C-alpha cells in the first residue's frame, strides 16, 4: 500500500522566500575555506564570567519554566539599564518581556499589532525578516528607500508614505546593513512627523551598544513621544557575544506590551531559564556594555586601515559591527553584480561577504557589499591579507 502514500500540497504562506543569503554565503565560505566576514556573528569567546553565571544558575536549580514574561530579576535589570542610559523608566512587571532573541521579538510585535490590510513602512535596505513577518500578519509592506549613499532617513519620502491605513513603521538604528546611525535631530523629526498619527514604531536597536566616535545611541527610550508609541527591541546575543543563546527583550508601554504578550505566550511562551538568570547577574556590572563601543571601534579602525591598501572603498561606519564597501574601482570585477561579486570574492579571494542587494526586495544593485568585523584580530588580518593580495 506504500504506493498510495501522498504528501498533500501545502500552498506556501511565503512563496517568494527561499534560503537566506546568509546561509548560502556561509555554506560557500565553508566549501572554499574562506574567511567568513559575511554572517554577523563573532568568532571569539564571550566573557568567562557569563559562562560561570550560567553554570551557577543551573546548579542553583533554575532549570524549569520561568514566568511567561521572563525572570523578574532580569526584567528589573533591563529596566534599570534603560533608565540609566536613556532616562526612561519602564515598569519591569508590565512593560518588559524577555524574548527568544530579537528576531522572535520583531515577529511577535508585528503579529500582535498589525492586522490584515494594515500598511507597515519599512526603510530599505533592511533586515531580511521584516517583510516576511508583515506578510505573515496579512499586512501590506510599504517600502521607503533610505537616502542613496548616506543611508540617512528621507523624511519627505516617509511623510508621503503615511496614509490612514499605516499601522506601524520599522526603525533600525544602528542600521544593518549600512552601519548608519540616526541622530538626535532625526529622532525629533520622526516624533514630529508621527505626532498627528497613531502609527506604532517597532524599534530594532540590537546594535545599541555599538555606536562610535563619541556619539550617543538615540534610542526611542530617550524621546518621550517616541517611547509612548514604540516597541523597543534589543538583543543580549549581540551585546555579549553570545548570538547562539537567542535571548533578547521587548520594552513597550503597558497597553502595547499586553498585546505583545498575548502573541508571545503562544509562539514561544517563555525563554531559557538559566541563561536569563545568568544575564541578570552579568548585568549588575555595566562595564561590559559600556566598554563595547571602544572594543568594536578598534576592530572597525583596524579593518578600515587594512582596506586602504585595496581598491575597495569603505563607506562611513558610525555603528553596528558591519562595514560596507564599494567595489566599483576593482578592475575587471567592477562590473559584476553584487551576488556574483560575493561568490567570486568567496571562491577566488577566500573572503566571504554579503551583497547589499539582498537587503532590498527588488535587489537594487549599487556595487556595494557588507563585511562583518566582529572577529578576532587574527581573523581580520588574514582576510585583509587576502583582500590586499587579490583586490588591490
Amino acid at each position: 500500500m506504500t504506493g498510495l502514500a501522498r504528501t498533500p500540497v501545502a500552498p506556501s504562506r511565503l512563496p517568494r522566500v527561499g534560503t537566506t543569503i546568509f546561509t548560502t554565503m556561509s555554506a560557500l565560505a565553508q566549501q572554499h575555506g574562506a574567511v567568513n566576514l559575511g554572517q554577523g556573528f563573532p568568532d571569539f569567546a564571550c566573557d568567562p564570567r557569563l559562562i560561570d553565571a550560567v553554570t551557577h544558575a543551573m546548579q542553583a536549580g533554575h532549570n524549569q519554566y520561568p514566568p511567561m514574561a521572563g525572570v523578574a530579576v532580569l526584567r528589573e535589570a533591563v529596566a534599570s539599564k534603560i533608565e540609566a542610559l536613556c532616562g526612561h523608566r519602564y515598569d519591569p512587571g508590565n512593560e518588559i518581556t524577555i524574548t527568544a532573541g530579537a528576531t522572535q521579538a520583531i515577529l511577535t510585535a508585528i503579529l500582535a499589532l498589525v492586522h490584515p490590510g494594515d500598511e507597515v513602512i519599512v526603510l530599505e535596505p533592511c533586515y531580511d525578516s521584516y517583510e516576511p513577518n508583515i506578510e505573515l500578519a496579512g499586512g501590506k509592506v510599504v517600502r521607503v528607500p533610505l537616502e542613496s549613499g548616506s543611508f540617512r532617513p528621507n523624511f519627505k519620502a516617509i511623510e508621503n508614505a503615511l496614509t490612514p491605513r499605516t499601522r506601524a513603521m520599522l526603525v533600525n538604528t544602528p542600521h544593518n546593513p549600512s552601519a548608519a546611525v540616526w541622530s538626535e535631530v532625526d529622532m525629533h523629526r520622526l516624533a514630529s512627523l508621527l505626532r498627528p498619527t497613531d502609527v506604532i514604531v517597532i524599534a530594532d536597536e540590537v546594535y545599541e551598544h555599538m555606536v562610535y566616535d563619541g556619539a550617543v545611541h538615540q534610542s526611542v527610550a530617550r524621546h518621550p513621544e517616541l517611547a509612548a508609541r514604540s516597541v523597543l527591541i534589543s538583543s543580549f546575543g549581540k551585546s555579549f557575544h553570545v548570538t547562539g543563546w537567542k535571548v533578547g527583550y521587548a520594552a513597550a508601554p503597558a497597553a502595547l506590551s499586553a498585546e505583545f504578550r498575548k502573541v508571545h505566550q503562544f509562539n514561544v511562551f517563555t525563554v531559557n531559564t538559566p541563561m536569563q538568570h545568568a544575564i541578570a547577574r552579568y548585568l549588575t556590572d555595566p562595564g561590559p556594555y559600556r566598554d563595547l563601543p571602544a572594543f568594536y571601534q578598534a576592530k572597525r579602525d583596524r579593518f578600515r586601515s587594512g582596506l586602504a591598501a585595496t581598491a575597495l572603498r569603505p563607506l562611513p561606519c558610525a555603528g553596528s559591527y558591519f562595514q560596507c564597501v564599494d567595489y566599483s574601482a576593482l578592475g575587471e570585477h567592477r562590473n559584476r553584480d553584487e551576488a556574483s561579486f560575493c561568490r567570486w570574492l568567496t571562491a577566488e579571494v577566500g573572503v566571504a561577504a554579503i551583497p547589499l542587494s539582498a537587503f532590498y526586495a527588488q535587489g537594487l544593485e549599487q556595487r556595494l557589499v557588507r563585511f562583518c568585523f566582529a572577529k578576532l584580530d587574527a581573523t581580520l588580518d588574514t582576510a585583509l591579507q587576502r583582500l590586499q593580495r587579490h583586490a588591490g
Side-chain angles (χ1 to χ4, degrees):
M1 298 296 289
T2 56
L4 299 178
R6 181 177 63 88
T7 300
V9 176
S12 176
R13 293 293 305 277
L14 297 170
R16 294 181 290 107
V17 172
T19 303
T20 72
I21 188 66
F22 309 104
T23 300
T24 300
M25 294 311 302
S26 288
L28 195 63
Q30 186 173 22
Q31 177 185 343
H32 292 280
V35 179
N36 190 355
L37 302 188
Q39 198 164 358
F41 58 84
D43 68 345
F44 46 83
C46 67
D47 188 336
R49 292 181 298 164
L50 196 50
I51 302 297
D52 292 342
V54 175
T55 301
H56 180 271
M58 289 180 173
Q59 292 174 338
H62 298 301
N63 300 300
Q64 307 307 325
Y65 291 130
M68 177 269 289
V71 170
V73 67
L74 179 54
R75 285 182 281 139
E76 175 60 43
V78 170
S80 297
K81 178 177 82 81
I82 295 173
E83 184 176 22
L85 294 175
C86 302
H88 180 82
R89 178 70 180 179
Y90 288 95
D91 175 10
N94 298 315
E95 298 185 327
I96 291 175
T97 307
I98 306 304
T99 64
T103 301
Q104 180 250 314
I106 293 166
L107 173 61
T108 299
I110 290 171
L111 290 176
L113 302 170
V114 175
H115 295 250
D118 286 346
E119 295 177 354
V120 182
I121 294 173
V122 298
L123 306 178
E124 283 195 313
C126 64
Y127 183 56
D128 65 345
S129 82
Y130 295 173
E131 295 192 17
N133 290 179
I134 295 164
E135 291 173 2
L136 287 171
K140 177 184 177 183
V141 179
V142 178
R143 303 175 186 89
V144 175
L146 293 163
E147 295 282 3
S148 177
S150 69
F151 299 98
R152 308 299 310 168
N154 183 332
F155 286 101
K156 186 61 179 176
I158 295 171
E159 182 179 14
N160 291 339
L162 290 168
T163 77
R165 295 182 298 279
T166 306
R167 172 67 61 188
M169 175 180 173
L170 280 145
V171 171
N172 174 211
T173 181
H175 185 245
N176 176 18
S178 76
V181 169
W182 283 41
S183 69
E184 184 177 9
V185 171
D186 292 333
M187 300 305 274
H188 285 309
R189 290 190 67 181
L190 180 64
S192 177
L193 185 62
L194 298 183
R195 190 172 298 141
T197 78
D198 288 326
V199 172
I200 297 165
V201 175
I202 300 173
D204 179 352
E205 301 187 10
V206 299
Y207 302 102
E208 60 176 319
H209 299 302
M210 302 169 205
V211 178
Y212 309 130
D213 304 310
V216 174
H217 168 55
Q218 293 299 318
S219 172
V220 290
R222 284 184 173 273
H223 303 272
E225 279 191 78
L226 293 176
R229 65 167 71 236
S230 298
V231 180
L232 186 169
I233 292 167
S234 193
S235 164
F236 299 114
K238 299 293 192 300
S239 298
F240 297 148
H241 319 311
V242 287
T243 59
W245 286 16
K246 298 298 293 178
V247 183
Y249 64 84
L256 297 181
S257 286
E259 295 305 312
F260 182 95
R261 289 179 179 182
K262 289 178 183 179
V263 175
H264 173 82
Q265 69 182 336
F266 292 119
N267 73 357
V268 71
F269 179 61
T270 193
V271 178
N272 189 296
T273 305
M275 288 176 179
Q276 288 194 60
H277 282 277
I279 292 169
R281 185 175 182 178
Y282 194 65
L283 281 171
T284 59
D285 176 10
Y289 60 80
R290 288 190 182 275
D291 293 342
L292 205 60
F295 173 80
Y296 273 125
Q297 183 170 327
K299 290 187 178 295
R300 179 201 68 173
D301 293 348
R302 186 186 195 95
F303 190 58
R304 289 173 65 87
S305 177
L307 287 173
T310 75
L312 302 172
R313 181 178 65 84
L315 274 60
C317 171
S320 81
Y321 50 43
F322 299 116
Q323 175 65 65
C324 291
V325 303
D326 182 329
Y327 64 85
S328 60
L330 191 61
E332 62 181 296
H333 301 289
R334 67 180 182 272
N335 292 322
R336 290 177 180 267
D337 64 63
E338 292 173 8
S340 172
F341 180 82
C342 285
R343 289 192 294 271
W344 169 79
L345 197 68
T346 304
E348 302 300 327
V349 179
V351 180
I354 298 293
L356 218 69
S357 57
F359 296 88
Y360 291 88
Q362 303 304 318
L364 180 65
E365 293 286 340
Q366 302 170 87
R367 296 179 183 170
L368 300 176
V369 299
R370 190 201 75 178
F371 292 111
C372 173
F373 56 79
K375 308 295 177 182
L376 290 165
D377 288 350
T379 303
L380 295 176
D381 291 346
T382 299
L384 287 166
Q385 289 165 9
R386 294 181 181 185
L387 291 171
Q388 290 161 2
R389 189 162 55 246
H390 297 284

